[in-house]
């Protein structure tokens, strides 16, 4: 939950500042370094975060990647940053070169808003062409936040992240394909379903009809599933409400107002009627005590009677609503607390 709030705060900051950020260096300091910090790494500690990390390749010297995250004296992730306005699609080849020579397992390409995480699933020490995790920090979903959490310093486990990366990568690609097919089904996609439900020859006219039918069927299926989920959620909410009402009724049913409590209530009304109208004096019984309130307001307790035990008590309230508990032998003993009861009402009338 804490990381979730930190990510949201950073996203809000980006929305406020981005139009004032003009270059790559400002993007690093305003957007990228805060992201590194919220992952639990100290950007001012050179044993954890190394800026301008050397990534020389063969005869080509002086190549540097913007940041390298270190654990146990070894780089575990390199980060290449671009201006927030730049398109990241034209920069992954540069990062791939750095990845090869630094012997790291993860590479991050970012412009401070878009984040793309890479590893070497296809070929060892060769950065994959496509990222296994990709997101816009200003539009994060809960499942994405769960994946980001795995990169936090306290959770970071190379083997676990790599094992999960394959699933993330291919799931992401499949979802993209599904989205494309739902928008505009391809010939092969339509043919897959037409072959299973249509026994005639798949002419151009038939395929054209099935193109619309497949699109319509998928959209209806999605709408129905969403509707079912909503109805299920509403049903559970109604059930929960009924359970709470039942529990409340059960609690109420356990409360028994005794003749003795009502007799005590009449004594209290008799005492207070000299100062206030009796219709302002209300009783409210609970399992623990019989309460008397001014104006049926929980914030204005006059007193409480405890008459169910072997010993009987009255609880009185002072100006600060601190409770003073006094033992009584009979209901008539309530008259001896006349002054305190009248004073309690006076406190409320002065508010």
């Amino acid at each position: 939950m804490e990381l979730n709030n930190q990510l949201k705060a950073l996203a809000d900051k980006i929305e406020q500042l981005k139009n004032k950020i003009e270059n790559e260096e400002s993007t690093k300091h305003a957007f990228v370094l805060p992201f590194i910090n919220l992952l639990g790494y100290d950007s001012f500690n050179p044993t954890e975060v190394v800026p301008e990390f050397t990534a020389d390749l063969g005869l080509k010297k002086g190549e540097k990647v913007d940041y390298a995250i270190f654990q146990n004296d070894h780089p575990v992730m390199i980060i290449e940053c671009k201006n927030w306005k730049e398109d990241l699609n034209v920069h992954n080849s540069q990062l791939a070169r750095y990845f090869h020579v630094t012997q790291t397992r993860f590479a991050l390409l970012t412009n401070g808003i878009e984040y793309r995480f890479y590893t070497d699933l296809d070929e060892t020490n060769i950065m994959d062409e496509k990222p296994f995790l990709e997101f816009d920090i200003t539009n994060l979903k809960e499942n994405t936040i769960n994946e980001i959490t795995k990169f936090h310093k306290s959770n970071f486990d190379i083997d676990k992240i790599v094992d999960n990366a394959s699933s993330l990568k291919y799931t992401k690609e499949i979802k993209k394909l599904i989205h494309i097919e739902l928008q505009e089904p391809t010939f092969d996609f339509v043919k897959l379903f037409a072959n299973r439900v249509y026994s005639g020859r798949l002419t151009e006219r038939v395929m054209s009809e099935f193109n619309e039918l497949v699109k319509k069927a998928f959209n209806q299926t999605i709408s129905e599933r969403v509707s079912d989920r909503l109805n299920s959620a509403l049903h559970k909410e109604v059930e929960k409400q009924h359970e709470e009402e039942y529990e409340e009724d059960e609690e109420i049913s356990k409360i028994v107002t005794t003749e003795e409590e009502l007799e005590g209530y009449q004594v209290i009304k008799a005492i207070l009627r000299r100062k206030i109208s009796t219709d302002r004096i209300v009783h409210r019984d609970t399992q623990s005590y019989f309460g008397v309130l001014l104006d049926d307001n929980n914030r204005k307790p006059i007193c409480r009677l405890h008459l169910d035990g072997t010993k009987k008590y009255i609880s009185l309230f002072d100006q600060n609503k601190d409770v003073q508990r006094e033992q009584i032998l009979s209901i008539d003993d309530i008259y001896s607390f006349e002054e305190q009861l009248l004073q309690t009402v006076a406190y409320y009338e002065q508010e």
Side-chain angles (χ1 to χ4, degrees):
M1 184 59 71
E2 183 180 358
L3 182 60
N4 189 348
N5 294 335
Q6 290 174 333
L7 286 166
K8 187 180 184 305
L10 178 56
D12 292 341
K13 176 184 175 183
I14 288 170
E15 291 289 3
Q16 294 170 10
L17 296 180
K18 66 181 182 181
N19 291 324
K20 300 176 182 179
I21 302 297
E22 297 296 335
N23 53 51
E24 181 180 308
E25 201 62 30
S26 296
T27 299
K28 290 180 191 177
H29 288 284
F31 301 162
V32 180
L33 283 177
F35 179 78
I36 293 173
N37 287 332
L38 67 83
L39 288 182
Y41 298 99
D42 182 358
S43 58
F44 295 102
N45 184 347
T47 66
E48 288 188 359
V49 181
V50 179
E52 297 296 311
F53 181 64
T54 302
D56 291 340
L57 178 61
L59 297 175
K60 194 168 185 179
K61 302 297 182 182
E63 291 279 90
K64 295 183 184 295
V65 66
D66 290 310
Y67 300 103
I69 305 288
F70 271 67
Q71 282 196 1
N72 301 321
D73 298 325
H74 294 287
V76 293
M77 181 164 62
I78 56 172
I79 304 172
E80 182 66 12
C81 308
K82 299 300 173 187
N83 188 334
W84 74 269
K85 299 177 183 179
E86 288 195 41
D87 181 0
L88 296 182
N89 290 322
V90 299
H91 294 291
N92 62 339
S93 59
Q94 179 186 17
L95 185 60
R97 294 200 311 271
Y98 298 156
F99 184 92
H100 177 66
V101 299
T102 55
Q103 303 292 314
T104 186
R105 291 306 306 273
F106 303 106
L108 168 59
L109 178 62
T110 181
N111 58 11
I113 297 177
E114 292 181 69
Y115 284 77
R116 298 180 183 180
F117 287 81
Y118 298 83
T119 188
D120 55 352
L121 295 173
D122 298 331
E123 189 175 349
T124 303
N125 203 32
I126 303 296
M127 191 181 87
D128 296 336
E129 183 180 345
K130 295 179 179 179
F132 67 89
L133 177 61
E134 185 175 1
F135 58 84
D136 180 329
I137 199 170
T138 63
N139 185 28
L140 286 174
K141 294 180 173 58
E142 186 176 347
N143 61 327
T144 304
I145 295 173
N146 291 336
E147 297 305 327
I148 296 172
T149 301
K150 294 172 185 175
F151 282 91
H152 193 278
K153 180 182 175 182
S154 61
N155 303 322
F156 194 88
D157 185 310
I158 292 176
D159 293 333
K160 287 183 179 179
I161 297 175
V162 171
D163 289 343
N164 190 49
S166 178
S167 173
L168 283 175
K169 177 181 176 181
Y170 296 118
T171 299
K172 177 169 66 73
E173 294 303 315
I174 291 169
K175 286 168 69 176
K176 283 183 180 179
L177 290 174
I178 291 173
H179 180 74
I180 292 170
E181 296 290 0
L182 290 176
Q183 294 295 319
E184 197 57 53
T186 60
F187 179 86
D188 288 339
F189 190 71
V190 174
K191 187 178 179 181
L192 171 68
F193 293 96
N195 268 329
R196 295 190 177 189
V197 299
Y198 185 74
S199 57
R201 194 165 68 89
L202 298 178
T203 63
E204 185 176 342
R205 180 185 63 80
V206 171
M207 287 296 291
S208 177
E209 289 178 3
F210 267 95
N211 185 286
E212 292 305 313
L213 289 172
V214 169
K215 188 188 299 186
K216 182 179 179 180
F218 265 87
N219 285 330
Q220 285 181 353
T221 301
I222 291 171
S223 296
E224 289 167 3
R225 292 200 65 175
V226 170
S227 178
D228 288 344
R229 291 287 292 274
L230 287 174
N231 287 334
S232 176
L234 287 171
H235 181 68
K236 287 179 180 177
E237 186 63 30
V238 170
E239 282 187 341
K240 182 180 178 183
Q241 186 176 345
H242 286 165
E243 287 175 2
E244 290 174 350
E245 289 173 355
Y246 175 77
E247 289 172 0
E248 186 176 335
D249 291 341
E250 283 282 289
E251 288 296 314
I252 292 172
S253 68
K254 293 176 183 177
I255 299 171
V256 177
T257 302
T258 65
E259 288 295 328
E260 191 176 31
E261 289 171 334
L262 291 175
E263 186 183 346
Y265 175 55
Q266 293 302 325
V267 170
I268 294 165
K269 287 174 69 174
I271 293 171
L272 298 178
R273 68 187 307 162
R274 292 185 291 119
K275 293 291 184 180
I276 58 173
S277 171
T278 56
D279 59 9
R280 296 180 63 192
I281 307 167
V282 179
H283 74 77
R284 193 176 299 178
D285 204 355
T286 72
Q287 285 186 264
S288 304
Y289 57 82
F290 180 91
V292 181
L293 308 172
L294 179 64
D295 299 329
D296 200 14
N297 189 334
N298 276 330
R299 294 193 298 273
K300 295 180 179 180
I302 298 172
C303 67
R304 292 172 182 171
L305 300 179
H306 310 266
L307 307 177
D308 293 335
T310 54
K311 292 185 178 180
K312 306 180 191 302
Y313 298 91
I314 181 172
S315 292
L316 304 166
F317 295 85
D318 65 14
Q319 187 172 6
N320 299 317
K321 296 181 183 178
D322 291 329
V323 180
Q324 177 187 348
R325 202 175 195 190
E326 299 286 352
Q327 186 175 352
I328 56 177
L329 298 178
S330 69
I331 295 302
D332 289 340
D333 287 348
I334 296 174
Y335 283 107
S336 62
F337 300 103
E338 178 178 346
E339 184 178 344
Q340 290 98 314
L341 291 169
L342 289 169
Q343 188 62 57
T344 297
V345 170
Y347 292 144
Y348 296 137
E349 294 291 83
Q350 293 169 8
E351 289 181 351

